[in-house]
Structures are given as structure tokens and as C-alpha cells.
Amino acid sequence: MQNWRHTSNKMKNLVKACLAVGTLCFGATQVTLAAEKAAFVYIGPTGDHGWTYSHDQGRLKAEQALAGKFTTSHIENVPETADAERVFRNLAQQGNKVVFGTSFGYMNQMEKVSRQFPNTIFMHATGYKKGKNLGTYDVRTYEGAYLLGVVAGGKTTKNTLGVVGSFPIPEVVRNINAFTLGAQSVNPRIKTKVIWVNSWFNPGKERDAALALISQGADVLMQNTDSPAVVQAAAQKGVYAFGWDSDMSKFGANAQLAASVIHWEKIYVPLLNQVASKTWKPTSIWWGVPQGAINIENFGPAVPAPLKTKALAVRDAIQKGQKHPFDGPIYNQAGSVVIPQGKRLSDDVLSKMNFYVKGVEGALPK
């Protein structure tokens, strides 16, 4: 075989070009190298316009950015039961190099299957258990919730906000508290009412909860559920709401004040690159505004320019590390100091949050 030093420049360039696009060249023939496979498991439908939709948009953008390195697939509407364990096992058996589980309730099933398939990498969204081939990742959605709160505090005329909550887990409690604190940073008189629907995606229950909150005097609504039903209900009743996880303005252009938008590709692209370069390690990722993983976007026509400018200024302060949604002083419902002036809640406390801040009404379900 001809020595590389004596290979013609034309042939060298051909070989380099082939390698650059993931092919091997034999004479005039190019043989494409097989891309690795990555699979995504979703709790809801990709058309929910919320959590699952945002993950799927991130998947598609990552696949486009990593063309030639990875192909991706997804399975939607997988419940957080033994069905999830079966799905994870099947995907590992199908040769997927990475399997992403995108809901908190997949944690135990994913941990079990990861031990059975040590050569497959498993990544669990919003969880905390790790292993040799099991990592975790999340987005600091509470940063987006705080920014929405800033806007809500500037728009409410009744000083009463409403939140449609899914499940009373730390992730959701953080978002309710951050939303309230963001609003109180503009208007200290703010109170927040919460109705739990005990579901991530149930448009009927979400709508009923939104209407109930409106009947209780809430004139600005936030949700930690996945459908656009809250925005639709707000539009019908002439009050305001926010897009959650994605832009929902097409369901109520005049009702949506802004949207807290997740950009999962900011996590998926570097993660998959690490897998491709064999540098992946089972670390925990928790990214937010500074990494571009979440942002306040799609301001509606009802937001005056000064209020938009204020919200973006707070966003920029978070981005620079000058502001944290849980900077002290922070008080719980009983009025006791949780974090004093000059301090901020640690990630450890945030990850286990099980209390309401002052201003959130009602008891937190056990």
C-alpha cells in the first residue's frame, strides 16, 4: 500500500473530506460509517406544546447539529410505570448508544435498566440517582418562573396570581415560589393561589383549574402543566397567562404576556458530542439562563415597554450571576426566615424544596 507521505495531494484531500463527513473511502468508493443511535422517551405527546414538545424540539435541533454522528428516535406517551422499564430495556436491546428519559417518574425504572445494560448510557431528566452509566440533567425552570413573576407583578390589578400545578414535587414547588418572589419583587402585596391537578397533561383538568383560579380573583395565571389549556382559558375570560416551556401565543395572542421557553438542545448537543468522543461521564447537569437553556421570550402586546425592559434586565442580571431568584431575605408561610439577607438558597436546598414562601396561600399537599 502506498505510503501516506507519497500519496498524492488529491488523494489526501479526498480521504480528509471523507473522514470529515463520516465516511471511509476505498478507491473511488465511499462507504458511510453508521451513526450512533440515541432514543428519547416522553411522558406526553409531542404535540402537547409544553414539556414534551420542548424536548422534541431539542432532539430535532440536536440531530441536525450532529448530522452524521447520531440519528435519533422517540417514543411518546410512556407512563411512569413498569411500562417505562420495558421501553428502556427494549431501546437498549435495539442498540441505542444513549437513552434519555424525560420525566421525574422514570427514575427508578431507568436506574434498574441501566444496571442491566452497562454498555448503554442512560440520561434521566429532573432526577437525582446516578450510576456508572446513568447521569442526570435538568433546566433551572425556576429562573424562567421568576422572570414570569416579574411580568405578572407589573400587570396584575388585583394583586392575586394563580398557578395550575401538576404534582407537589420539589421541581414544581420551586417554580411556584420563584414565580411568587418574582412578582413580589415588583409588588410586595402579591398573593398566589394554587390548584393541583395531579397530572402533567390533562387539558380538561388544567382548564377547570384555571377557571377556578379566575373565579377566586386571580387575574394573571402561570402553570406547571403541559397543555395550552390555561392560556386558552385566560383568553376566554379576558385575563392573562404565560407560555410554559414553549411559546403558546397562538392559543391566546392577547392573553399570553410572555413565555418561559426551554432550549433542551443546549444540553443535548454537548452531551451527545461527549458520547461521540467517548468523554462522557455520569455527572449531573443543571443549566439555566447563563447557559441559554431557558429564557423569557415572546412578549405579548399587553406588556408595556418599561415592564419588558425590567424583565429583560433581571434576566441579564441572572445571566451574569448578579441575581438569583432565591436571594435572601426569604420567609416561609409562617413568616420565619428561611434564608437571611445577603445569602441565597443552595442547590441542595432547592433540589429538596418542600415549603411555600410567604405569599403563597393554602397548605402544600403531603
Side-chain angles (χ1 to χ4, degrees):
M1 185 174 180
Q2 188 178 21
N3 187 286
W4 177 256
R5 287 182 59 189
H6 299 100
T7 302
S8 69
N9 286 335
K10 182 177 180 180
M11 181 59 72
K12 287 180 180 178
N13 291 336
L14 175 61
V15 172
K16 290 178 181 178
C18 289
L19 292 175
V21 296
T23 64
L24 289 176
C25 305
F26 298 92
T29 303
Q30 294 184 8
V31 180
T32 301
L33 296 175
E36 297 281 13
K37 296 194 298 181
F40 293 72
V41 181
Y42 299 147
I43 184 68
T46 56
D48 67 359
H49 296 284
W51 180 258
T52 295
Y53 172 82
S54 68
H55 275 285
D56 202 53
Q57 290 299 299
R59 173 186 71 86
L60 293 171
K61 291 175 182 177
E63 185 175 60
Q64 183 179 22
L66 299 170
K69 291 183 180 180
F70 273 94
T71 59
T72 69
S73 62
H74 73 278
I75 300 177
E76 57 189 79
N77 293 314
V78 177
E80 298 164 316
T81 63
D83 284 347
E85 182 180 326
R86 174 184 56 79
V87 169
F88 293 140
R89 185 177 293 108
N90 288 344
L91 291 172
Q93 291 172 336
Q94 292 166 16
N96 284 284
K97 187 65 177 177
V98 193
V99 177
F100 293 92
T102 63
S103 189
F104 180 82
Y106 293 155
M107 182 166 62
N108 292 332
Q109 300 94 318
M110 181 164 265
E111 182 190 33
K112 179 179 178 179
V113 176
S114 71
R115 294 196 299 266
Q116 298 168 350
F117 294 89
N119 295 323
T120 303
I121 293 171
F122 293 86
M123 288 298 300
H124 179 226
T126 76
Y128 55 84
K129 292 185 178 180
K130 297 200 300 291
K132 292 182 178 179
N133 60 324
L134 173 63
T136 64
Y137 67 105
D138 199 359
V139 166
R140 296 180 185 269
T141 50
Y142 66 87
E143 293 180 346
Y146 186 90
L147 295 172
L148 299 186
V150 171
V151 177
K155 281 299 295 184
T156 180
T157 59
K158 297 184 177 180
N159 300 330
T160 301
L161 310 180
V163 177
V164 177
S166 49
F167 297 97
I169 59 176
E171 168 193 346
V172 182
V173 176
R174 276 196 308 271
N175 292 332
I176 294 169
N177 286 339
F179 179 62
T180 303
L181 291 171
Q184 290 173 345
S185 73
V186 177
N187 180 352
R189 297 170 295 174
I190 291 290
K191 302 292 183 182
T192 301
K193 297 177 181 292
V194 182
I195 293 180
W196 298 95
V197 296
N198 296 307
S199 174
W200 292 112
F201 180 74
N202 188 319
K205 283 187 175 181
E206 294 170 55
R207 173 181 167 78
D208 289 345
L211 293 175
L213 288 166
I214 295 168
S215 71
Q216 294 172 26
D219 60 350
V220 183
L221 307 179
M222 192 192 82
Q223 66 189 71
N224 204 152
T225 50
D226 296 344
S227 87
V230 174
V231 174
Q232 291 172 316
Q236 178 188 346
K237 294 297 183 178
V239 300
Y240 298 114
F242 296 98
W244 185 250
D245 297 336
S246 72
D247 175 24
M248 295 179 174
S249 59
K250 69 179 181 180
F251 299 99
N254 293 322
Q256 179 175 293
L257 294 175
S260 176
V261 179
I262 301 178
H263 295 278
W264 290 106
E265 68 275 7
K266 297 294 184 179
I267 293 177
Y268 288 143
V269 171
L271 265 178
L272 291 172
N273 268 322
Q274 290 169 13
V275 174
S277 63
K278 303 187 186 305
T279 59
W280 179 89
K281 294 181 181 179
T283 55
S284 295
I285 297 170
W286 200 6
W287 286 357
V289 168
Q291 297 83 14
I294 194 162
N295 193 21
I296 184 170
E297 303 173 10
N298 309 105
F299 288 88
V303 180
L307 183 56
K308 177 179 178 180
T309 298
K310 181 176 181 61
L312 293 177
V314 176
R315 188 271 314 272
D316 292 346
I318 293 174
Q319 195 278 328
K320 296 173 183 175
Q322 299 168 348
K323 172 67 182 174
H324 189 286
F326 290 96
D327 281 330
I330 293 174
Y331 304 87
N332 63 17
Q333 280 182 311
S336 300
V337 176
V338 177
I339 190 77
Q341 179 75 38
K343 303 291 183 179
R344 63 181 48 165
L345 289 183
S346 67
D347 280 358
D348 182 61
V349 175
L350 288 172
S351 67
K352 301 171 184 176
M353 186 167 280
N354 62 353
F355 65 89
Y356 282 146
V357 297
K358 186 177 180 180
V360 181
E361 297 184 342
L364 179 61
K366 302 296 184 182

